[in-house]
Amino acid sequence: MFSEREKTKMIVRAIFVIVGAWLLWEFLRALPVVCIGNAVGTVFSVMMIGAGFFLDKLSAAAAGLWKTGGGKAALVTLGIIVLSVIVYCVTMSVLMVKAISGGEERKADAVIVLGCQIKGDRPSRMLRIRLDKACEYLKDDPDCICIVSGGKGDDENYPEAEIMKKYLVEQGIDASRITMEDKSTSTKENMRFSKAILDDMGISGNICFVSDGYHLFRAGLIAKDEGLDAFGLAAKTEARFVPTYWVREWLSIGYYFIGQ
């Protein structure tokens, strides 16, 4: 028979291994997409699995450290860091989820579609989902104009905006309603260059920008920085990419705040 202490360790070990394995699967199934999101997620998942398998040795090492002044300080510091990271991730997730809701019922004079990777002369799946979301909105409001925003990446043959406009026209949106912003290479430039176009058109408010849901919170902060009175409309990210891009966005938001 196992003691209560041994049973507790077995349960904790199982939780670490099972949760770690599930997270590892979630991050790996985003392949062949490789970015800092699934890199960090994969490392964390492997660490969880390792912690489960080596729980006894880790517990013994922690107990040994706790007996010394320096070791105790190190463990307390580590605990504070871990707790701070958890609080940050939870807080950012709440703000990101909040940013996803609320755009569906609002009326806009202009829609900015934020660019994403293209494949040859066609939008990538992720970009196509953004464009489909914008297309729905534009068809519901024939008075709303559209700016497709995205320049030419190093691995792309055309500016993203050109392919975006072509796709929207194929979906039945009149070309006269679509303006291309084809110089931007970042969200900041998306917003800055699109605002310049809107200023030339005399449109200063009721602006909507379309991107994946995980991106809306940070994009909204950047829009505000650039003087845009805008709200976000969420395109639905393919499920297998959500964990990878969600973690990447945590890091991107942190970088945004550090850079301010």
Side-chain angles (χ1 to χ4, degrees):
M1 295 293 292
F2 296 106
S3 67
E4 288 301 316
R5 181 184 178 87
E6 290 171 330
K7 288 180 181 178
T8 300
K9 280 190 174 183
M10 289 173 65
I11 292 171
V12 172
R13 184 179 292 112
I15 290 173
F16 270 81
V17 172
I18 292 170
V19 173
W22 170 69
L23 287 175
L24 182 61
W25 162 249
E26 289 294 330
F27 288 110
L28 290 181
R29 76 188 186 119
L31 298 174
V33 171
V34 178
C35 68
I36 194 170
N38 52 8
V40 170
T42 297
V43 170
F44 176 75
S45 303
V46 171
M47 288 175 64
M48 281 198 70
I49 295 171
F53 280 117
F54 299 104
L55 183 61
D56 289 338
K57 290 183 179 180
L58 289 172
S59 298
L65 284 172
W66 192 256
K67 293 177 182 178
T68 66
K72 184 178 293 186
L75 288 174
V76 170
T77 301
L78 179 62
I80 292 172
I81 292 172
V82 170
L83 181 60
S84 298
V85 169
I86 292 172
V87 170
Y88 170 79
C89 292
V90 171
T91 302
M92 291 305 104
S93 292
V94 170
L95 293 172
M96 288 162 68
V97 170
K98 185 178 179 181
I100 291 172
S101 60
E104 297 287 344
E105 304 302 325
R106 297 178 65 178
K107 180 177 174 60
D109 296 322
V111 171
I112 303 170
V113 188
L114 303 186
C116 187
Q117 188 179 30
I118 59 174
K119 301 289 187 181
D121 62 350
R122 303 298 297 172
S124 63
R125 179 173 176 80
M126 184 172 285
L127 181 55
R128 189 168 71 249
I129 293 172
R130 293 185 187 184
L131 291 167
D132 287 341
K133 188 67 179 180
C135 189
E136 291 175 11
Y137 196 90
L138 292 166
K139 286 181 177 179
D140 286 341
D141 185 355
D143 295 325
C144 185
I145 62 100
C146 178
I147 296 176
V148 285
S149 179
K152 181 179 176 296
D154 293 337
D155 58 346
E156 296 173 332
N157 298 322
Y158 306 92
E160 293 166 3
E162 181 179 334
I163 303 304
M164 294 161 75
K165 180 174 181 178
K166 177 183 175 184
Y167 181 85
L168 287 176
V169 171
E170 289 173 354
Q171 305 311 306
I173 305 301
D174 194 297
S176 64
R177 299 174 64 190
I178 307 169
T179 300
M180 292 192 299
E181 182 290 292
D182 58 3
K183 303 300 181 185
S184 58
T185 58
S186 66
T187 303
K188 189 177 186 69
E189 290 182 348
N190 287 147
M191 297 301 185
R192 178 173 295 173
F193 300 161
S194 295
K195 182 180 185 300
I197 293 171
L198 290 169
D199 287 346
D200 288 342
M201 293 179 172
I203 300 174
S204 60
N206 295 324
I207 311 301
C208 171
F209 59 88
V210 179
S211 189
D212 285 72
Y214 65 82
H215 186 217
L216 293 188
F217 173 64
R218 181 166 60 94
L221 294 175
I222 294 171
K224 187 175 181 180
D225 290 343
E226 296 301 321
L228 270 175
D229 177 15
F231 63 92
L233 188 64
K236 187 176 182 180
T237 309
E238 191 174 346
R240 71 190 180 102
F241 295 131
V242 171
T244 287
Y245 285 111
W246 202 269
V247 171
R248 189 184 75 168
E249 196 64 17
W250 285 341
L251 300 171
S252 297
I253 294 169
Y255 181 78
Y256 165 84
F257 283 123
I258 291 171
Q260 294 304 297

